[in-house]
Amino acid sequence: MCSILGILDIRKDPESLRRLALELSLRQRHRGPDWSGIYADDRAVLAHERLAIVDPLGGAQPLLSPDGRYVLAVNGEIYNHQELRRDLPHHEFQTASDCEPILALHAASPADPVRWLETLNGIFAFVLHDRESGRWLAARDPVGVVPLYTGQDADGQRFFASEMKALTGVCHHIEQFPPGSFQTREMAAPTRYYAPSWREFTAVEGRPYEAASLRSALDAAVERQMMCDVPYGVLLSGGLDSSLIAALAARHARHRIETGGREEAWWPQLHSFAIGLAGSPDLEAAQLAADAIETVHHPFTFTLQEGLDALRSVIYHLETFDVTTVRASTPMFLLARRIKAMGIKMVLSGEGADEIFGGYLYFHKAPDARAFHEETVRKLDALHMFDCLRANKAMAAWGVEARVPYLDRKFLDMAMAFDPIEKMVRTGRMEKHLLRAAFDGVLPESILWRQKEQFSDGVGYGWIDGLRDHAARVVDERDLAAAAERFNHAPPTTAEGYLYRSTFEELFPGPAPAATVPGGKSIACSTPAALEWDASFAAAADPSGRAVDGVHKASYGGPKAS
């Protein structure tokens, strides 16, 4: 997972801005430790830190078009790049990079980016500069799997960066560039290019569901995203989502070995990785899943103290003080370091399934199909600030790329396009019933029908409990009582929240960085709107799945209701 840094609409000394770009790009080098590249002229500077996944020898960036007119810096993977190349037979491709087709598509239709942005199936954030006219184009993938921040300095120069830290102290205003959107120099704000009809309930109401289509679409998404020229693996928590991805990936890996297929670098054995406190629910379930699907499994444990020691680094790399994100990111951050030490550069992960299928436990309380569907759309819209941010940045902190097949564009468009009543929890059916039933026989029953555990819970219930206890010890009650006076944006209401918020402020002072982090109450990872579904939600609001009384088997309020 690479990083990009762009300075556009230059109004000051170009040479000094080139030096500044090098300095700012260095703050992101953990994302791309393999090589650095920079392009500079009188109008723009583009810097790139590369993690070499596809075409390791020939895909260095920034990339230039054959005529030298267009310059591209991109962080991402374009999974359908071979198809796009075949559709562009007259373009003189110079590398095997999966990102180079972006240059060709733009050169063929520079005035209408929506036309070709919609053809990309991948995860990406890029800045493209026209050396001839000085125009530029920035865009981000449909869901925002890859991060992108933008801002302006006091001179009105436009900045783009993969991480917010590269813009702090330089830009007086910083914001996350919205997913599924693009912007050109002439546009005052980004505009959506990805606006599928399934966003509206009326477009999906009554549409039929087919289990076979769901199975084939997810299988194809996993196969697409195994595109890789370096060693890769899978994250395996032992929950439904990651176990399904791992099972499908293992099958494709075995098939390629058995048939001798070498179209791409498919490594001889698939390695899986899990982490948790000693005796955690996830470690036990992950081992069971790994044994069943026959991966080379690597379970790792961490201690509460190791997690506490990592908190400051986690907040620095994740650039957030959101409670649920920090809770879940810490074990993932520790796991990423172990994965990197083993020589793995890419992993498949299970993010996105809960948003698509309503897998969080609070969805049990959805009043009707419309409310259910509208909440899934809200959750998908917010993914770039939560789970996608966590998976991307926790892994990228150690130079590992996370890919998310559930959020593959083709799978997403299929899985969101049928009647959401099929996804709802009903009598005798648990959360994500249709996903479980569609893959009957692929996993052991205890994994296939395992209750939803949020990652921060599954690594061990003692993790969240330990975080709360630690925060209660180190945060002064008087400081917490005055939190609203100290923090104008998203003031914390708990000792744990105050600990993360104050640490973030120390690392990223000023109002601009804090404004990039969302606020609002949540229960079990809900949006604030879903708190209205049940009268108990507002009082019990906590991002842990155990906050949903009467649903989680180990809920804070007691045993699961019959």
Side-chain angles (χ1 to χ4, degrees), residues 55-67:
D55 189 17
L57 298 180
Q61 295 190 38
L63 295 165
L64 270 70
S65 59
D67 60 4

Side-chain angles (χ1 to χ4, degrees), residues 206-281:
R207 294 192 59 178
Y209 158 70
E210 295 180 356
S213 297
L214 188 71
R215 285 196 302 271
S216 62
L218 184 58
D219 188 62
V222 170
E223 184 175 18
R224 260 192 303 277
Q225 298 199 18
M226 291 174 76
M227 173 191 79
C228 191
D229 293 331
V230 296
Y232 62 86
V234 291
L235 301 185
L236 182 58
S237 71
L240 172 70
D241 305 337
S242 65
S243 297
L244 278 181
I245 298 299
L248 296 174
R251 189 179 71 181
H252 285 295
R254 281 194 299 273
H255 176 72
R256 288 303 179 99
I257 293 169
E258 292 165 359
T259 60
R262 301 304 300 172
E263 293 92 348
E264 299 175 68
W266 297 72
W267 303 95
Q269 292 177 292
L270 185 65
H271 291 249
S272 57
F273 304 91
I275 193 168
L277 299 174
S280 75

Side-chain angles (χ1 to χ4, degrees), residues 442-455:
V442 173
L443 295 167
E445 291 287 300
S446 61
I447 300 298
L448 193 65
W449 298 99
R450 183 186 176 198
Q451 184 180 57
K452 166 65 184 175
E453 288 281 14
Q454 291 167 207
F455 186 59

Side-chain angles (χ1 to χ4, degrees), residues 323 327 468 471 475 480 483 491-500 541-542:
V323 169
R327 287 175 176 179
R468 288 171 160 175
V475 173
L480 178 58
T493 58
T494 66
E496 185 185 4
Y498 189 95
L499 174 62
Y500 306 155
D542 184 278

